[in-house]
Amino acid sequence: MANLVKDVTINDSHPKTLLLKRHVEYIAAYGNNKEDFEYCMTEYLRMSGMYWGLTAMELMGHLHYMDKAQVIEFISQCIDSSGGISSSIGHDPHLLYTLSAVQILCLLDAVSVLPVDKVTEYVASLQKPDGSFTGDKWGEVDTRFSFCAVACLSLLGRLDAIDVDKAVEFVVSCHNFDGGFGSQPGSESHAGLIYCCVGLLSITGRLHLIDGDLLGWWLSERQLPSGGLNGRPEKLPDVCYSWWVLASLAMLGRLHWVHKQSLERFVLACQDTELGGFSDRPGDIPDPFHTLFGLAALSLLGNGELGKVNPTYCMPQHVIDRLKLRPQVLSV
Amino acid sequence: MEGSSSEEGEDVNWTFYRDREEWADLKPVPQDDGPHPVVAIAYSEKFRDVFDYFRGVLKVHELSERALDLTRDAVELNPGNYTVWQYRRQILKHLDKDLKEEMAFVAEMISAFPKNYQVWHHRQVLVSWLNDASDELQLTAKMLALDAKNYHAWQHRQWAIRTFNLFQNELEFIEKLLNDDIRNNSAWNQRYFVINQTTEFAPEVIEKEIAYVLSKIKIATKNESSWNYLRGIVLHSESGLRKPSVIDFCDELYNSGNRSACLLSYLVDAALEQAEYGVVKENSLLSIDKALELCDNLANEFDVCRRGYWNYISGCLRVHMN
């Protein structure tokens, strides 16, 4: 049987250098264009959108282009009486957006606008007896939410508010036979969820609970001939998975297990030369989500034009240093 | 990003909520766009109208038939809006609606937006409320026929199977999927899930599964998914990767000239395991020297892009030379 590999082809028409200025313009303009259909369709994830844009700007050294006071004002209007934070004004609070808001406020050094005790109480209220977390009070369980909860509380210096051992136990119960992790016990290994699980173990200092060689191998197997990384076997490469795989390998101290030059070439090829920004694959439409993860991947690969990113939090390293956080990183 | 809706506005029969007499009593609440100055928004009139009225009913907490219809328009325009779904559930409960009808609606929504988190979550809540999962295998099978790796569909299927003990015909279903696509990693994962939850890994199950997966590896020797499954299974046997029947299979494949990176890496890992835990059955393929040679082949010829990994494994092997 032929072994056709699902992949993309990169050629000379794709960009090879970092188009920094274009990306700065792209992100700066994104929030201004409210006439955009897509902008209003994404209201339900606005808070995350702001985290992607602001973090991208900081990695590019242009955070000063953004109106910090307005951002802080917006976040303060999204804080629910429960302490949870919503994606946008008038939406229900959710753990995903609570983490995004906390990440933004840490970036802007403005955590003091948060009712930290209430936020902590909200996050802690979402932990279930088996250690897992739901995304909101309505009950969807997913290892993404375990990461959100632990990342959020560690950024606030309040990890003591939850049962960390139980949270770790749940994540370990999602460990699969191939070394990876899924969303729930028994769910298929998936690079995005592996990032969440490894990230949680990095924050809690429990990376020794996993077989780094086995998982590192599975992760490095995600690299395709184009240099890009996919999220599961037999899927197409994607810039966001390139970040999740790379960040996980970085936490496991095994970043050098992928071929850096070809990955860098793939990520650079995903830039939009006209609009600015990065897309999932070469030639597709860019968006702020892939733009942040494209830049973050390049930063981890050592691009000198960008600020250093922390692989566990996907936040600028200097912010993590300022907060005196030391997420665990293995070395081999 | 998930959950984008189709372009709207083509429907000539559409009446804006602001023009509907039966809604005249409700005060719409325009969107607050947050940090930037509010500018005239040119996006779809229909979208704005529906969500202005949705915010209106939310504000006065109206739980009525008309509000239920409104949430339907709203989720159809933007199925990713989790607040609308939650409000819809509140109304369904409050009005004590026929949930079978709602099941049909959410099935339609799943077909239209198969990768949206909220539609699947809504389905799960309804199944729990009804305590009836009799349609779930069929629904997920239908969605997997369209996209065999849809993570949401698999997650929902596993939830239904586990919660309502629907394991009975699952292996058959998986075999069909693997016959269609031997590289379907989701199906291999599901196979492990079913066995782990039913027969577990008794010796005879291990033998049966090894025979099954080896027959599939023969067909596609570079298939990462089947090799990973094999590794997952043999780890339940006492001899681990060194299991003689598997090593004999690898030996034969290797001697036939096959150099699949999956095969070579299996042999290298088995050699490393042998160095650490001892010989189960003599085979020169599992010597340290041979394994070092294979690592070298992988790093320089068969799997060059993972050279960093193979160099690391060579180092682990060398430790055992002393």
Side-chain angles (χ1 to χ4, degrees):
Chain A
M1 187 183 278
N3 284 297
L4 289 173
V5 180
K6 291 197 178 76
D7 199 3
V8 296
T9 315
I10 293 169
N11 58 44
D12 279 346
S13 72
H14 296 118
K16 296 187 188 72
T17 54
L18 180 60
L19 310 170
L20 207 60
K21 196 164 161 278
R22 278 262 180 276
H23 304 317
V24 169
E25 290 164 359
Y26 171 74
I27 296 290
Y30 192 79
N32 292 333
N33 188 11
K34 289 214 179 61
E35 316 229 348
D36 192 28
F37 178 68
E38 191 197 325
Y39 185 84
C40 98
M41 283 299 296
T42 54
E43 192 198 2
Y44 69 90
L45 48 77
R46 179 78 66 245
M47 191 64 76
S48 294
M50 288 173 54
Y51 153 72
W52 301 326
L54 292 164
T55 306
M57 282 303 229
E58 175 61 11
L59 290 177
M60 294 190 289
H62 281 75
L63 188 60
H64 57 280
Y65 272 32
M66 310 298 265
D67 190 332
K68 296 181 195 176
Q70 277 184 334
V71 169
I72 292 168
E73 173 58 24
F74 173 73
I75 293 176
S76 62
Q77 288 186 62
C78 293
I79 304 170
D80 184 71
S81 57
S82 63
I85 300 170
S86 59
S87 59
S88 195
I89 299 160
H91 287 239
D92 288 341
H94 197 286
L95 200 42
L96 287 171
Y97 311 112
T98 303
L99 172 61
S100 293
V102 168
Q103 286 174 307
I104 294 168
L105 292 171
C106 286
L107 177 67
L108 302 180
D109 200 6
V111 172
S112 58
V113 307
L114 281 179
V116 173
D117 286 346
K118 284 302 282 183
V119 176
T120 303
E121 199 181 297
Y122 171 78
V123 175
S125 75
L126 299 174
Q127 189 171 30
K128 301 189 31 154
D130 67 355
S132 67
F133 282 83
T134 54
D136 61 15
K137 62 179 173 168
W138 317 115
E140 197 189 347
V141 168
D142 191 317
T143 45
R144 284 183 304 152
F145 305 138
S146 296
F147 174 76
C148 290
V150 165
C152 186
L153 292 182
S154 65
L155 288 167
L156 296 173
R158 296 301 302 272
L159 263 184
D160 58 319
I162 55 163
D163 189 333
V164 171
D165 290 341
K166 274 280 176 194
V168 168
E169 201 179 292
F170 177 75
V171 159
V172 170
S173 77
C174 298
H175 198 199
N176 286 323
F177 63 90
D178 56 16
F181 292 87
S183 59
Q184 291 172 6
S187 293
E188 185 184 1
S189 296
H190 176 290
L193 300 165
I194 289 172
Y195 166 79
C196 291
C197 294
V198 174
L200 182 144
L201 297 173
S202 159
I203 293 169
T204 56
R206 312 289 175 91
L207 284 174
H208 60 275
L209 291 175
I210 48 180
D211 182 341
D213 285 350
L214 182 62
L215 177 53
W217 182 62
W218 190 91
L219 289 166
S220 64
E221 284 282 309
R222 307 279 51 81
Q223 190 160 35
L224 296 165
S226 67
L229 307 175
N230 63 14
R232 285 187 276 164
E234 294 290 308
K235 301 283 276 187
L236 286 169
D238 185 319
V239 163
C240 65
Y241 288 109
S242 298
W243 157 258
W244 287 319
V245 171
L246 199 62
S248 302
L249 283 169
M251 288 184 258
L252 295 172
R254 289 161 171 87
L255 192 130
H256 58 293
W257 285 8
V258 293
H259 192 264
K260 291 185 188 179
Q261 290 81 5
S262 60
L263 175 57
E264 185 175 32
R265 178 77 191 92
F266 171 82
V267 175
L268 289 171
C270 295
Q271 297 175 102
D272 190 304
T273 52
E274 284 170 34
L275 300 170
F278 291 70
S279 56
D280 56 354
R281 282 179 278 285
D284 288 354
I285 304 288
D287 60 63
F289 173 83
H290 288 94
T291 301
L292 170 62
F293 293 131
L295 292 167
L298 292 174
S299 167
L300 269 192
L301 289 168
N303 188 301
E305 289 180 81
L306 297 167
K308 209 174 156 212
V309 72
N310 179 273
T312 303
Y313 290 97
C314 196
M315 290 167 65
Q317 185 60 46
H318 72 83
V319 175
I320 301 305
D321 292 341
R322 164 162 46 77
L323 295 169
K324 299 192 168 55
L325 294 171
R326 293 193 173 279
Q328 189 185 8
V329 171
L330 297 179
S331 56
V332 293
Chain B
M1 269 175 275
E2 30 112 1
S4 65
S5 167
S6 56
E7 280 297 338
E8 46 0 278
E10 309 94 19
D11 186 356
V12 287
N13 296 319
W14 179 261
T15 309
F16 289 113
Y17 277 84
R18 61 173 186 247
D19 299 329
R20 296 183 193 189
E21 228 169 80
E22 70 274 23
W23 281 92
D25 60 298
L26 192 110
K27 192 170 178 293
V29 177
Q31 178 164 332
D32 183 337
D33 275 311
H36 304 280
V38 177
V39 292
I41 298 168
Y43 60 78
S44 152
E45 284 282 300
K46 178 177 174 179
F47 189 99
R48 182 170 58 176
D49 178 62
V50 167
F51 278 89
D52 285 355
Y53 277 80
F54 173 69
R55 281 182 286 269
V57 296
L58 201 59
K59 196 170 178 184
V60 297
H61 203 69
E62 178 181 317
L63 303 170
S64 62
E65 284 289 344
R66 68 171 188 176
L68 186 65
D69 292 343
L70 174 65
T71 58
R72 182 181 175 126
D73 284 331
V75 290
E76 280 176 353
L77 284 169
N78 195 349
N81 190 318
Y82 58 95
T83 300
V84 181
W85 282 110
Q86 183 47 38
Y87 194 64
R88 184 171 174 84
R89 284 190 286 274
Q90 260 183 282
I91 302 173
L92 289 168
K93 272 278 183 199
H94 184 77
L95 299 181
D96 198 18
K97 294 296 289 184
D98 175 6
L99 295 178
K100 284 283 177 197
E101 227 173 89
E102 186 68 4
M103 287 285 274
F105 169 62
V106 74
E108 273 173 46
M109 289 297 284
I110 284 171
S111 288
F113 306 99
K115 290 198 174 176
N116 176 284
Y117 282 99
Q118 284 72 29
V119 293
W120 286 101
H121 181 58
H122 191 61
R123 180 83 186 182
Q124 188 178 322
V125 173
L126 294 178
V127 172
S128 301
W129 283 356
L130 286 163
N131 196 29
D132 175 5
S134 52
D135 294 333
E136 302 320 288
L137 295 185
Q138 206 189 349
L139 174 80
T140 48
K142 184 183 136 201
M143 298 317 294
L144 292 172
L146 299 170
D147 173 4
K149 292 166 194 165
N150 181 334
Y151 206 87
H152 303 271
W154 279 112
Q155 192 169 290
H156 184 73
R157 191 174 177 92
Q158 286 196 348
W159 170 80
I161 288 175
R162 193 166 29 207
T163 311
F164 296 88
N165 194 17
L166 306 174
F167 289 98
Q168 206 182 354
N169 300 317
E170 192 61 4
L171 281 181
E172 246 169 72
F173 174 71
I174 295 161
E175 291 211 26
K176 202 173 130 290
L177 289 185
L178 287 176
N179 287 337
D180 291 346
D181 176 11
I182 204 168
R183 292 184 175 76
N184 184 341
N185 195 60
S186 308
W188 285 107
N189 182 73
Q190 185 76 347
R191 192 172 179 93
Y192 192 93
F193 167 79
V194 171
I195 289 170
N196 196 29
Q197 302 269 330
T198 53
T199 57
E200 299 186 53
F201 300 93
E204 65 279 9
V205 177
I206 293 177
E207 293 306 325
K208 191 173 137 269
E209 287 308 299
I210 287 176
Y212 178 78
V213 68
L214 291 182
S215 75
K216 296 296 181 191
I217 288 175
K218 254 188 209 164
I219 300 169
T221 60
K222 292 182 181 173
N223 180 9
E224 179 192 353
S225 301
S226 52
W227 281 99
N228 278 343
Y229 184 76
L230 172 66
R231 286 164 177 264
I233 297 298
V234 296
L235 288 181
H236 291 282
S237 82
E238 273 175 33
S239 43
L241 296 169
R242 296 155 295 161
K243 191 163 178 59
S245 60
V246 178
I247 297 301
D248 289 345
F249 171 87
C250 292
D251 192 331
E252 198 181 315
L253 201 56
Y254 185 81
N255 286 320
S256 73
N258 191 295
R259 294 294 180 270
S260 140
C262 298
L263 167 66
L264 304 192
S265 80
Y266 186 95
L267 288 168
V268 169
D269 285 350
L272 197 54
E273 191 186 87
Q274 175 166 297
E276 282 168 17
Y277 300 104
V279 179
V280 175
K281 185 185 163 195
E282 242 359 290
N283 189 313
S284 59
L285 268 178
L286 301 189
S287 71
I288 296 282
D289 284 344
K290 185 65 190 175
L292 283 169
E293 180 197 319
L294 294 178
C295 280
D296 206 47
N297 296 158
L298 284 158
N300 297 307
E301 193 177 349
F302 303 114
D303 200 28
V304 184
C305 86
R306 274 168 283 278
R307 179 176 287 167
Y309 173 74
W310 295 116
N311 290 340
Y312 166 79
I313 295 294
S314 292
C316 297
L317 285 163
R318 284 203 185 86
V319 170
H320 293 284
M321 288 180 85
N322 307 322

